[in-house]
Amino acid sequence: MALDPEITDNRETRRYELTVEGQTSVVMYNEVGGGLLITETIVPIPLEGRGIASRMAKHVLTDIRDRSLVVLPTCPFFAGYLKKHPEYADIVHPSYRIALGL
């Protein structure tokens, strides 16, 4: 799956960013041994309900897979997204896979 060219990984601030209509949505993370701990997903209120968080989740998970990393989803949105998209179960850290029922 191809990465979304409009979403960038700002490694200095440890967040993926997508700017739409002058407003920036973010997925925040921390690097942990062999993976990314996803801590928070923030979409500005005027952009809510447009699928932006899902678009970002798909990009982030594809990037994690492409980099041969695992995801540790502490962000409630990401945890819910992964439950709805079991095709990403292989890149979920084993302990989180159990917790999410994947």
Side-chain angles (χ1 to χ4, degrees), residues 1-5 7-11 14-17 27 29-31 34-38 54-72 78 81-82 87-88 90-92:
M1 214 172 278
L3 292 176
D4 188 320
I7 299 173
T8 58
D9 180 2
N10 185 338
R11 292 189 180 183
R14 294 184 313 273
R15 64 188 210 170
Y16 288 86
E17 303 172 340
V27 172
Y29 65 86
N30 288 308
E31 294 182 40
L36 294 184
L37 177 75
I38 306 298
S54 293
R55 177 180 169 189
M56 293 187 75
K58 182 178 177 181
H59 174 92
V60 170
L61 293 167
T62 299
D63 189 38
I64 288 170
R65 178 174 279 146
D66 289 351
R67 294 168 56 194
S68 298
L69 299 173
V70 295
V71 61
L72 298 89
F78 260 77
Y81 186 88
L82 287 163
E87 65 269 24
Y88 294 106
D90 63 306
I91 62 168
V92 177

